[in-house]
Amino acid sequence: MAATSPADDFQQTPTRLYSLDALRGFDMFWIMGAEEIFSKLAETTHLPIFEGIANQLTHPAWNGFHLYDLIFPLFLFMAGVSTPFSVGRDLEKGKSRNQLLLRVIKRGIILVLLGIVYNNGLNIKPIAEIRFASVLGRIGLAYMFANIIFLYASERMQIFFFWFFIIGYWLLLKFTAAPGFHPGDLTMEGNFASYMDRCFLPGRLYLGIHDPEGLFSTIPAISTGLLGILTGTMLKKTGLSQTKKVLRMVVIGVIFLVLAQIWNLDFPINKNLWTSSFVLNVGGLSLLLMALFYYIIDVLGHQKWAFFFKVIGINSILIYISGKFINWEYATGGFFNWLFQLVGNPYNVVVGAVCYVMLKWLFLYFMYKKKVFLRV
């Protein structure tokens, strides 16, 4: 019998992708403190390579794109990828769509509430002082609507809705504006999305006149979730070789990046507004990263190196919200102060940033070994 390459095998329906957990962990790794490591390296060494990386790990003030802008939409994309393996699996087991609809709505509401707690703590405040919009809230709402479409629409209709939301959002912002501004104004004060949030979103906005996780700009974020769902559906198919799955993700990812740059000429790439060109840009990068992790981990079978990221990815929401309840900086100083003194200036701040990340990882590893996972 002739041997076959792993990449050419037709897999049975997978129940969970190791690469998905690893990529989710890689994504969270940067916001659990890795960006601070490169920031401190840039400050202490002044080497162009570290300064360049540190700059990419910041957000542009308005238009433009840095790699740090990918973290949030990549997480939402991966939430979509997991849908066919979770909600889709339950459908196959015979659960009704109405049962799963209630679960999806419940999860969305819980994430919105967790986001409010993350922003404002547990203290009771006047409504005017509460920030309702949040990263978790946007993930919750976009995940919820994308999953509702998954439950009740065919794959072809899911593709239709992906383009419907981003084209419709583009047309809305192109031909409307806040009162007193010309149609198509995309400044922070003049754009239609921020104006709608000022009119209808209760409480305070993050920047007073604008919130980067506002309600109206969640519309195109649904497309980010849908792209993940479509990707997960493709990865779950058994009649398609693993090589072809990787190639599809790469080809579509590159096409999306090209289209994003073309659209950018008329509708700038802007994370603050989650513009349609931004959706295609981060969608293309998400597909390329998913293809890379899937090929190395699930196709070639190289898993050991990714265990570090899997430990983070399998408890991603826990580590995200832990900073509201655990003083990680204080704990890091308590455990590693002797090491900082031993290293001395100026590199003690770099060592401190590394220890900060490692302490969080050890906490997650302990939870992993105890099989304690925060599920929403």
Side-chain angles (χ1 to χ4, degrees), residues 113-128:
L113 294 176
L114 281 175
I116 294 172
V117 171
Y118 183 87
N119 284 345
N120 305 281
L122 296 174
N123 298 325
I124 298 176
K125 299 178 180 179
I127 290 180

Side-chain angles (χ1 to χ4, degrees), residues 84-364:
F85 296 92
S86 54
V87 178
R89 183 184 63 240
D90 288 338
L91 273 175
E92 293 165 2
K93 288 181 177 179
K95 286 193 176 181
S96 71
R97 284 178 168 79
N98 289 340
Q99 284 178 303
L100 294 172
L101 174 65
L102 291 175
R103 192 177 82 183
V104 164
I105 293 174
K106 177 183 176 183
R107 188 182 190 198
I109 292 173
I110 290 173
L111 284 169
V112 170
L113 294 176
L114 281 175
I116 294 172
V117 171
Y118 183 87
N119 284 345
N120 305 281
L122 296 174
N123 298 325
I124 298 176
K125 299 178 180 179
I127 290 180
E129 297 179 14
I130 297 175
R131 183 188 173 212
F132 288 90
S134 68
V135 169
L136 289 177
R138 171 160 292 178
I139 291 172
L141 291 174
Y143 161 88
M144 181 178 72
F145 287 112
N147 272 255
I148 291 172
I149 293 171
F150 171 77
L151 283 172
Y152 294 99
S154 66
E155 188 174 342
R156 181 173 295 182
M157 286 303 298
Q158 291 168 31
I159 296 172
F160 166 79
F161 278 114
F162 170 83
W163 291 106
F164 174 79
F165 288 130
I166 59 175
I167 292 174
Y169 185 68
W170 165 57
L171 293 174
L172 274 172
L173 267 63
K174 185 175 179 65
F175 295 106
T176 58
F181 294 85
H182 63 83
D185 191 299
L186 294 178
T187 62
M188 186 181 295
E189 186 178 2
N191 77 84
F192 186 68
S194 298
Y195 169 69
M196 293 298 288
D197 285 341
R198 292 195 293 271
C199 290
F200 297 107
L201 190 59
R204 65 179 180 86
L205 304 184
Y206 185 65
L207 297 175
I209 61 172
H210 167 77
D211 199 301
E213 283 78 51
L215 194 60
F216 198 81
S217 55
T218 297
I219 294 172
I222 300 171
S223 290
T224 302
L226 280 172
L227 180 61
I229 289 174
L230 290 164
T231 303
T233 299
M234 185 268 295
L235 288 171
K236 194 179 176 186
K237 288 179 178 177
T238 56
L240 197 64
S241 72
Q242 293 176 311
T243 301
K244 288 184 178 178
K245 291 175 182 179
V246 173
L247 287 175
R248 280 193 184 184
M249 287 188 283
V250 171
V251 170
I252 296 172
V254 171
I255 291 172
F256 273 21
L257 290 176
V258 173
L259 290 176
Q261 294 305 315
I262 295 172
W263 212 341
N264 177 57
L265 300 175
D266 182 69
F267 197 24
I269 294 172
N270 184 313
K271 176 184 177 294
N272 281 275
L273 294 175
W274 212 280
T275 55
S276 306
S277 55
F278 175 78
V279 171
L280 292 184
N281 194 59
V282 296
L285 291 171
S286 297
L287 283 165
L288 293 178
L289 279 172
M290 188 72 242
L292 178 65
F293 274 66
Y294 177 74
Y295 181 70
I296 294 174
I297 296 172
D298 290 312
V299 178
L300 298 181
H302 300 311
Q303 296 185 352
K304 290 183 179 179
W305 70 274
F307 178 74
F308 175 87
F309 294 122
K310 180 182 179 179
V311 169
I312 303 170
I314 210 163
N315 241 333
S316 52
I317 293 181
L318 173 63
I319 198 60
Y320 180 77
I321 66 174
S322 67
K324 289 296 177 180
F325 306 99
I326 300 174
N327 189 331
W328 290 110
E329 291 185 4
Y330 180 80
T332 302
F335 280 107
F336 298 106
N337 188 52
W338 60 274
L339 183 59
F340 306 156
Q341 294 177 356
L342 183 65
V343 173
N345 291 324
Y347 291 101
N348 57 346
V349 293
V350 177
V351 173
V354 173
C355 291
Y356 178 78
V357 173
M358 288 309 302
L359 185 62
K360 285 186 173 183
W361 188 87
L362 289 171
F363 165 73
L364 290 176

Side-chain angles (χ1 to χ4, degrees), residues 62-82:
W62 193 244
N63 291 335
F65 180 80
H66 289 174
L67 288 176
Y68 205 55
D69 295 337
L70 178 61
I71 291 174
F72 180 8
L74 177 58
F75 191 92
L76 176 54
F77 168 85
M78 289 185 288
V81 174
S82 67

